[in-house]
């Protein structure tokens, strides 16, 4: 069974254990933060190895690392790993795209990650603000100007909107 399937099974079991959910996520996020602190200290270093080796290196359970952490960082690395197929002995590479990672951390609302002090050495404050605003703008819905009943129809017919596309059919 793949690590992702084991992760999903754990998440399903966790839904039934409401008392354990808070503790699980608190522990997971602390471990995740510790890994990012280490990765961001030397971001130019490409990290690679088997999933088991990397889980051991960062002190995380192999299922949490392979199903949770690698799935979370996968969109922020230069060549994504096949996270749905990973086994403990699968070889993975973590080559971080820093701007993408910061952007995705903002998208995930993971302030405990995008506010890490390691970012100060990696991206300027100005660039971080730009990425933050860019991500927030990407989720903002902007409605177009409302077409008035007596305005010309946008289809180009030359008729008033109320007599053309605005007609109740």
């Amino acid at each position: 069974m793949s690590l992702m399937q084991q992760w999903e099974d754990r998440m399903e079991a966790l839904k039934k254990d409401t008392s354990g959910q808070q503790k699980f996520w608190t522990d997971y996020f602390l471990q995740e933060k510790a890994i990012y602190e280490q990765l961001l200290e030397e971001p130019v270093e490409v990290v690679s190895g088997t999933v088991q080796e990397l889980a051991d290196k960062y002190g995380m359970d192999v299922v949490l690392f392979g199903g949770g952490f690698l799935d979370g960082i996968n969109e922020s690395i230069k060549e994504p790993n096949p996270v749905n197929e990973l086994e403990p002995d699968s070889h993975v590479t973590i080559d971080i795209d820093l701007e993408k990672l910061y952007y995705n951390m903002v998208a995930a609302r993971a302030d405990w990650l995008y506010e890490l002090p390691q970012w100060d050495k990696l991206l300027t404050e100005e660039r971080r603000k730009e990425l933050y605003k860019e991500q927030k703008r990407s989720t903002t819905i902007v409605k177009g100007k409302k077409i008035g009943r007596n305005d010309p129809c946008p289809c180009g017919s030359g008729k008033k909107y109320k007599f053309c596309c605005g007609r109740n059919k």
Side-chain angles (χ1 to χ4, degrees):
M1 182 185 315
S2 74
L3 293 170
M4 183 57 75
Q5 185 59 53
Q6 291 177 56
W7 168 263
E8 289 170 357
D9 290 349
R10 280 195 192 177
M11 295 303 102
E12 197 59 41
L14 197 58
K15 287 180 184 176
K16 298 170 187 159
D17 179 18
T18 54
S19 63
Q21 285 180 14
Q22 182 68 36
K23 182 180 177 357
F24 173 84
W25 287 113
T26 300
D27 291 346
Y28 176 80
F29 291 141
L30 287 172
Q31 290 178 49
E32 178 186 47
K33 181 179 177 184
I35 293 172
Y36 277 114
E37 287 171 337
Q38 291 177 49
L39 286 173
L40 295 175
E41 281 298 322
E42 297 293 331
V44 292
E45 178 187 334
V46 176
V47 178
S48 65
T50 67
V51 177
Q52 184 67 60
E53 290 168 349
L54 295 178
D56 292 343
K57 175 180 178 178
Y58 295 113
M60 188 181 248
D61 173 83
V62 70
V63 174
L64 299 183
F65 186 80
F69 183 80
L70 286 177
D71 185 41
I73 198 172
N74 212 38
E75 290 182 15
S76 304
I77 56 179
K78 294 175 183 166
E79 286 191 40
N81 294 296
V83 290
N84 291 326
E85 303 162 11
L86 295 179
E87 301 287 337
D89 60 347
S90 300
H91 192 272
V92 293
T93 301
I94 302 173
D95 188 6
I96 300 171
D97 179 329
L98 291 172
E99 290 191 356
K100 226 185 218 185
L101 179 61
Y102 189 85
Y103 182 94
N104 289 334
M105 286 176 171
V106 171
R109 298 182 178 153
D111 57 339
W112 66 94
L113 297 176
Y114 68 77
E115 291 178 356
L116 286 171
Q118 285 83 352
W119 285 111
D120 295 340
K121 295 181 277 178
L122 305 173
L123 298 173
T124 65
E125 185 176 347
E126 196 174 278
R127 184 62 185 141
R128 289 189 311 240
K129 284 181 182 177
E130 288 172 8
L131 289 168
Y132 185 91
K133 287 178 183 175
E134 182 182 321
Q135 194 290 318
K136 294 301 180 187
R137 268 194 310 271
S138 74
T139 58
T140 303
I141 299 171
V142 179
K143 289 186 176 181
K145 182 181 175 239
K146 184 177 178 187
I147 303 167
R149 291 174 27 88
N150 291 315
D151 290 342
C153 190
C155 76
S157 66
K159 298 179 182 178
K160 287 185 177 185
Y161 180 69
K162 66 182 177 186
F163 292 121
C164 190
C165 294
R167 185 182 303 163
N168 291 335
K169 296 178 183 181

